[in-house]
Amino acid sequence: MEQFDLIVIGGGSGGVRAARIAANHGARVALAEEYRMGGTCVIRGCVPKKLMVYASRFAQEFEEAAGFGWTLDAPRFDWATLKARRDAEVARLEGIYRSNLGNAGVQILEGRATLLDRHTVALSNGECYQAKHILIATGAQPARGPDISGHELAIDSNGFFDLPALPRRVVVQGAGYIALELACVLQLLGAKVTVLVRGEQILRGFDNEMRQHLQAEMAHSGLQFRFGREVQAIARAQGGLQVQLDNGDVLDTDCVLRALGRVPNTSGLGLDTLGIALDAQGAIPVDDFSQTTVPGIYAVGDVTNRVNLTPMAIREGHAFADTVFGGTPRRVDHTLVPTAVFTTPEAGVVGLTEEQALKTHPHLDVYRAVFRPLKATLSGHTGKMLLKLLVDRDTDRVLGFHAVGPDTGEMAQLVGVALQLQATKAALDATLAVHPTAAEELVTMRTPAVRHNL
Ligand SMILES: Cc1cc2nc3c(=O)[nH]c(=O)nc-3n(C[C@H](O)[C@H](O)[C@H](O)COP(=O)(O)OP(=O)(O)OC[C@H]3O[C@@H](n4cnc5c(N)ncnc54)[C@H](O)[C@@H]3O)c2cc1C
C-alpha cells in the first residue's frame, strides 16, 4: 500500500493550501477530491457568485449613466453568454489549482475518500493509501431544510449555478448572505424576486442597525420581502410552480431557490469507526491546532464550522501544515474577521456588532454617517449609504465597523488592518481624508450619534 506523510481529503480552499504548504515543508502528500479541484469557493461559491454580482450591477450602471449625459439603446442581457464565460473562467481556475498542486509535488487521488482507520484512506475505486497524518477538509453542502412536499422542485445554491436561463419569477427562501446575494443578482438581471424570511430580520448575527439599513435599501430597489413566513409545499402549476406558505398564501413562480444554511460534509467519512463524535451541528470538533479528538487526524475549514469563509479555511490549512510539518506551531485567531455581503448595495463589516460590544464595553460611542454618495447627485439613485463605527470611550479603541453601500467590502478589508493594529478613534481622526470619496466619512466623524452608558 502506498505510504504518505499526509493525506488530505478535500481539494477546496483549506485542503489545497494545507497540501501545498505541507509539501513545501518536505512532506510526501496526497490529496483526494471527489468532484472538482478548487472546492466550493472556486466551483460554486465565492468566485462564480462574484462574477454574477458584477454582471448584475451593470443594470444599475446603465440606468444611472443617463444622469451623466449618456444615451444608451435598451441594453439586452444574455444569460447563456454570461454562464458560458463564467464556466470557462471557473474551468481555467480549476486547472491552475491542479497544476499548482502538481508543481508542489502533491499526488492527486481522484475519487471519494473514506477513513478505514487512523492511518488508512480508501478511495471509491477501491484503492487504499496510508499516511502518518490525515487532514479532513471536506467542506459543507447546502442544507436540505425541512422535508416539505415538492422540495425536489426547488434548487439550492449549487442549482443556481446550473440554471440554463434566467427565470422570470423567483421565490428565494432564506435570509443568510447566500440567499440575499443570489436574490439581488437575479433581481438586477431582470427576474421578479420574492424573499421569504422565517424570522423578522435578515442576516442573523450581523449588526442590527446594519441589517435594517441593508434590508430597507434592498426593498427600496425592488426586492420583495415576506417576513415571518415558512414554505409548506411546492407544487407544479400550469406554466411554472406554486409555493404554498404557512398562512395559506400561494405564490406563483418559475423557480424556488432554497438557501437555508449549510451542513458540514461528514456523512459516510468513517468518522464513527474512529470514535470521532460530531457536535450538534454535525461538525468535527477540533482543538486550537485543528486536531480532532484522535491524534494524527486533523480537520480544517467548513467541516469544522468555526468561521465558514474561504480566507479562514486557507489560514487554518496553512497553520495546520506549519504546525505539523514546519516545526512552527500556529494557532488561528477566529475573532477579527473582516467580511462582505455582496448584495446590491453591498455590506462590509469587521469587528464587534453594537449588540456584542455592549456586553463588554458599557461606555460605547456609536459614530454614524448616513448619506447619499456624490455619484447619486447626478445618477438619480436614491439609496443611502451607512458607515458606522463603534468606539470604546474608556480606551478610545475602535471595536467595530459596519457599512452598507458601494465598495464597502473593499473598505472592510482596510478597516480590518486598522483594527488589527488596534487603531484608536484618535488615529482615525488624525488620518487625512481622501476627497471626494465615501470612505472619507470614516475619518471625519466628529460627534457620536449615540453615547451608551450602561
Ligand atoms: C454560494 C456561496 C458563496 C460563497 N461566497 C463566499 C464569499 O464571498 N467569501 C467567502 O469567504 N466565502 C464564501 N463562501 C464560503 C466558502 O466557499 C467556504 O467557506 C470555503 O469554500 C470552505 O473551504 P473548505 O476547504 O472548508 O471546503 P470546500 O471549499 O467546500 O472544499 C471541500 C472539498 O471536499 C470535497 N469532498 C467532500 N467530501 C469528500 C470526500 N469524502 N472525498 C473526497 N473529496 C471530498 C468536495 O468535493 C470539495 O471540493 C461561499 C459559499 C457559497 C456556497
Side-chain angles (χ1 to χ4, degrees), residues 56 179-189 218 223 343-344:
S56 70
L180 299 173
E181 290 174 344
L182 303 187
C184 286
V185 166
L186 291 162
Q187 190 231 346
L188 283 173
L189 290 178
M218 288 191 293
L223 211 58
T343 43
T344 300

Side-chain angles (χ1 to χ4, degrees), residues 19 28 32 36 87 142-143 170 177-178 192 197 201 203 217 220 225 242 244 249 263 283 306 342 361 396 445 451:
R28 246 198 109 211
R36 293 178 63 183
D87 290 349
V170 185
Y177 79 95
I178 294 175
K192 184 172 174 302
V197 180
Q201 249 194 303
L203 288 176
E217 288 297 317
H220 182 67
F225 285 96
Q242 279 194 331
Q244 195 187 322
D249 285 1
V263 287
R306 287 175 280 180
F342 293 108
H361 300 83
D396 200 39
M445 290 194 255
R451 308 200 84 197

Side-chain angles (χ1 to χ4, degrees), residues 193-248:
V193 181
T194 306
V195 181
L196 299 177
V197 180
R198 192 175 53 174
E200 293 306 322
Q201 249 194 303
I202 58 168
L203 288 176
R204 188 157 50 90
F206 284 75
D207 182 87
N208 274 342
E209 186 179 6
M210 190 284 271
R211 298 160 80 189
Q212 277 157 14
H213 188 97
L214 178 60
Q215 187 223 306
E217 288 297 317
M218 288 191 293
H220 182 67
S221 54
L223 211 58
Q224 302 229 334
F225 285 96
R226 311 255 321 226
F227 288 95
R229 289 279 74 91
E230 299 244 37
V231 174
Q232 278 205 321
I234 306 169
R236 284 193 199 284
Q238 215 168 23
L241 300 171
Q242 279 194 331
V243 180
Q244 195 187 322
L245 304 185
D246 52 352
N247 65 345

Side-chain angles (χ1 to χ4, degrees), residues 9-15 32-36 38-41 44-46 49 111-114 137-140 157 161 177-178 181-182 262 265 269 300-303 308-311 313 340 342:
I9 305 180
S13 309
E33 170 55 55
E34 66 170 337
Y35 181 54
R36 293 178 63 183
T40 304
C41 177
R44 44 199 183 184
C46 335
K49 171 201 76 186
R112 184 170 175 76
T114 312
T138 49
S157 64
F161 293 110
Y177 79 95
I178 294 175
E181 290 174 344
L182 303 187
R262 293 177 62 77
N265 278 329
L269 268 179
V300 295
D302 285 8
V303 76
N308 298 329
L309 292 169
T310 281
F342 293 108

Side-chain angles (χ1 to χ4, degrees), residues 90-418:
V90 166
R92 188 184 74 83
L93 291 174
E94 185 184 0
I96 291 175
Y97 269 74
R98 266 182 193 282
S99 53
N100 283 348
L101 283 169
N103 293 342
V106 175
Q107 186 172 328
I108 295 174
L109 311 174
E110 312 271 356
R112 184 170 175 76
T114 312
L115 288 153
L116 297 186
D117 60 45
R118 276 171 58 178
H119 299 291
T120 316
V121 168
L123 271 199
S124 35
N125 64 7
E127 288 167 6
C128 290
Y129 300 87
Q130 284 199 318
K132 282 197 210 90
H133 300 93
I134 292 172
L135 176 69
I136 303 168
T138 49
Q141 58 181 296
R144 219 183 117 164
D147 248 337
I148 52 162
S149 156
H151 73 85
E152 71 285 354
L153 299 172
I155 59 169
D156 56 25
S157 64
N158 293 344
F160 166 84
F161 293 110
D162 293 335
L163 279 174
L166 174 68
R168 199 165 53 84
R169 302 162 298 178
V170 185
V171 171
V172 175
Q173 194 187 2
Y177 79 95
I178 294 175
L180 299 173
E181 290 174 344
L182 303 187
C184 286
V185 166
L186 291 162
Q187 190 231 346
L188 283 173
L189 290 178
K192 184 172 174 302
V193 181
T194 306
V195 181
L196 299 177
V197 180
R198 192 175 53 174
E200 293 306 322
Q201 249 194 303
I202 58 168
L203 288 176
R204 188 157 50 90
F206 284 75
D207 182 87
N208 274 342
E209 186 179 6
M210 190 284 271
R211 298 160 80 189
Q212 277 157 14
H213 188 97
L214 178 60
Q215 187 223 306
E217 288 297 317
M218 288 191 293
H220 182 67
S221 54
L223 211 58
Q224 302 229 334
F225 285 96
R226 311 255 321 226
F227 288 95
R229 289 279 74 91
E230 299 244 37
V231 174
Q232 278 205 321
I234 306 169
R236 284 193 199 284
Q238 215 168 23
L241 300 171
Q242 279 194 331
V243 180
Q244 195 187 322
L245 304 185
D246 52 352
N247 65 345
D249 285 1
V250 173
L251 306 179
D252 291 313
T253 187
D254 301 303
C255 173
V256 181
L257 168 55
R258 301 180 91 195
L260 305 172
R262 293 177 62 77
V263 287
N265 278 329
T266 47
S267 74
L269 268 179
L271 297 176
D272 37 353
T273 49
L274 288 169
I276 298 178
L278 303 177
D279 70 13
Q281 277 70 45
I284 302 179
V286 288
D287 66 15
D288 284 356
F289 296 101
S290 294
Q291 185 164 229
T292 67
T293 48
V294 175
I297 301 192
Y298 293 76
V300 295
D302 285 8
V303 76
T304 62
N305 195 27
R306 287 175 280 180
V307 173
N308 298 329
L309 292 169
T310 281
M312 196 56 92
I314 291 175
R315 181 155 294 189
E316 290 167 1
H318 200 131
F320 152 79
D322 284 349
T323 301
V324 178
F325 299 102
T328 340
R330 283 215 290 130
R331 286 185 171 83
V332 172
D333 179 8
H334 290 90
T335 55
L336 193 63
V337 181
T339 192
V341 179
F342 293 108
T343 43
T344 300
E346 74 187 34
V349 307
V350 56
L352 299 179
T353 66
E354 186 172 344
E355 297 70 37
Q356 287 167 338
L358 280 173
K359 287 189 187 142
T360 42
H361 300 83
H363 303 144
L364 187 73
D365 283 348
V366 181
Y367 292 83
R368 179 193 297 135
V370 178
F371 58 98
R372 278 182 84 197
L374 177 62
K375 186 178 174 193
T377 55
L378 293 197
S379 74
H381 192 71
T382 49
K384 289 208 167 117
M385 283 187 80
L386 165 73
L387 297 193
K388 171 174 174 178
L389 284 176
L390 303 171
V391 178
D392 176 34
R393 201 158 54 247
D394 297 334
T395 59
D396 200 39
R397 281 268 305 277
V398 182
L399 304 175
F401 164 73
H402 306 275
V404 176
D407 302 321
T408 51
E410 306 285 340
M411 288 183 206
Q413 182 66 86
L414 298 180
V415 177
V417 177

